[in-house]
Amino acid sequence: MRIGALLAPAAPRLRLLAGREELDRVVSGVMTTDLHDPGRYLQGGELVLTGMLWRSGAEDSERFVRGLAAAGAVGLAAGEAEVGPVPEDLVAACERHRMPLFAVPEDVAFAQLTEYVVRQVSADRAADLSALVDRHRVLVSASGGAGLDAVLELLGGDLDLDCWVLTPSGRVVAGPPDRLNEAERDQLVRAHLDGQRRRPGPSVRARVGSRQFSVLPVAAEGTGLLAQWLLAVEGDVTEWTPKRQQLAENLARLAGAERERRDESRRLRIRLADEVITLLQRDAPPEELSRALEASLAMAQTALGTPMPDSWVVVSAEGQGLPEGAARAALVEALTGADDRALIGGGGTGAILLVPEPADGSTMAELLRALLAPLEAGLGADGRLTLGASAPAASAGGLRGALEEARHARRIASSRVGRICVSGPEELASHVLLLAAVPDEVRRAFRSRLLDRVIGYDLEHQADLVRTLGAFLRYDGSWTRCAAALHVHVNTLRYRIGRIEELTGRDLSKLEDRVDFYLALELS
C-alpha cells in the first residue's frame, strides 16, 4: 500500500504533520517501538508506530528520526495517548529527513492502525500474485510448461495460503501433500462432488475437523463432474477481499489450463488405447493384439520411462443413470493417475480397461474400490457404477478369456445393492456367479417366498429373527457359538429358530433348507 492510504476515508483517523511530498512511498509492514534506536531491527519499508516514550528532549527527536531514515523506514506514526500532542521538534526532524509523520489521536489504538495496514498490504500482495498467476496461466497454455507446484509454493510462502489441486479420487496433483492427509482429501472430494451435483457454483465450503476449506471446480474442456479436478483452499473465500478472491479464481483457471495441456498430450495414447480395446472386443488374433499393445506401451515407456508389465487385468465397467462417456472419463482420470500404463477404451455408458496387475499384492478389485469410493458423492440418486475384474493374464493370448471373465464378474457386481460395486475373479467360482445369472424377477420371488413372513414378524414384534437366522447359518448351526455371538441364552436361540421354522415351514436341521435360507439372505 502507499503510505498516503493512511489518509483515506476508510482508514483510522490520523493527522498528517510532515512529509506531504512523500506520500507515494510503499509500506511493506508495521513495527511498534519505543526504543531509542530501533533502526537495527528494521528491514526497510516499515511504518513505525511509537508512543514517544523514548523522548526526553529535542535532541532525542533528531537522533530517533535520523536512525529511522537510515534504516529505510517509510513513515512514522506518533501516538498522543501517553505524552500528549506531538512536539514541534519531532515535526521539524521529520521535515528535515523527509519522513512522513502522522499524529495518532488518543482514541485510535495502535492495534486498529496495525490491522488496517496489514489488511491493505495483504490485499495488494494478493493482487500482485493474482496477476502473476494469470500470466503463468497464459504461459502454460501457450508453451505447454507445467509449474502448479511452484505457484502453490509461492502462495504458501508469501501469503500463508495453503492450496491443493486434487483429482476426484483424491490424488494430489499439486500442493503440499504432507499438510492434507488421505481422510481429509476424501472429505473434500466428497463435499465438492455432492455440492456441484446438487447446485453447480463457483465454490463449496467444507469443514474438515477443525479446518475450514473452500473448494473450487477446475474447469477444463470435455470433463464431466466425475472426472473434474478441484482446487481446495484453506479458508473461506466468501469472507476474503475481492482481490484475494480473484487470486483463488485465477489459480483455478491456471489448474484448468494445466489439465487441458495434460489431456492434449494424452490424446494420441487414448486413440491407441481405443484400438487395443477394439481388437480385444473383436477377438483379433493374439499376434495382432500384441503388436497394438506394444505400440501403445512404447509411447508410455518413452514418455514415462515405465517398464512393460508382466501381466494385465481386464476390467469391464458400466455406468447407469450417468451421461454418455461419464464412466469412461471418470475411470481414465482415476486409473491413469494410479498407473499411466492403463489402457481404457469403449463408448456409450461403459468402458473396458487393461490395467497392469497391482505390484503391491492387492487385488484389482481392492484397488478399484479404494480409488473410486469418493465418486459415490457425485453419482446422484439414480447413478451407479459397476465393475468386474478378471484374474491376471500374462500374455495377449489370454486377454480374450480375461475379458469374458471380467464381464461375468461385472454381472455379479450389478446384482448387488450400492452406488459403486466391484467384483473380482475369486467370486466366479462361488454361488454368487449362479445368482447373477438368474433373472431379477426369479430372484425376487425366491427371496420373498422364504423371508417375507420372517421380515414381517420382525417388523411387528421387533423379534430380530432375520439377524438370528444369519448368525445361525454363519456359525454352521452351532447353538453355543451362535448364542454367544448374539449374547442370548441357548434357550432363547432355540425359541427364535423354532419361530422361523414355524413361519416358513422349513427345517433348519436339514442342509438343503439351510442352503436355501443362505441364498435368500445373500439376495437381500
Side-chain angles (χ1 to χ4, degrees), residues 345-401:
T349 59
I352 301 296
L353 299 74
L354 266 67
V355 187
E357 182 183 8
D360 60 1
S362 62
T363 68
M364 182 55 63
E366 292 170 339
L367 174 64
L368 290 170
R369 290 189 191 103
L371 284 175
L372 303 179
L375 298 185
E376 185 176 351
L379 290 174
D382 301 322
R384 291 191 76 206
L385 194 57
T386 57
L387 304 98
S390 74
S395 65
L399 290 177
R400 179 62 194 179

Side-chain angles (χ1 to χ4, degrees), residues 274-284 289 314 352-354 396 398-403 407:
D274 275 332
E275 291 180 11
V276 172
I277 301 302
T278 299
L279 290 172
L280 178 60
Q281 291 175 309
R282 290 178 179 174
D283 198 15
L289 181 58
V314 180
I352 301 296
L353 299 74
L354 266 67
L399 290 177
R400 179 62 194 179
L403 175 59
R407 286 171 170 165

Side-chain angles (χ1 to χ4, degrees), residues 104-122:
V104 183
E106 184 177 351
D107 59 345
V108 176
F110 278 179
Q112 179 185 356
L113 180 55
T114 299
E115 181 182 356
Y116 175 79
V117 173
V118 169
R119 188 167 60 246
Q120 295 300 312
V121 169
S122 296

Side-chain angles (χ1 to χ4, degrees), residues 460-474:
E460 183 177 354
H461 300 282
Q462 289 80 48
D464 212 17
L465 295 185
V466 173
R467 189 169 75 95
T468 299
L469 174 61
F472 187 72
L473 297 174
R474 188 163 58 252

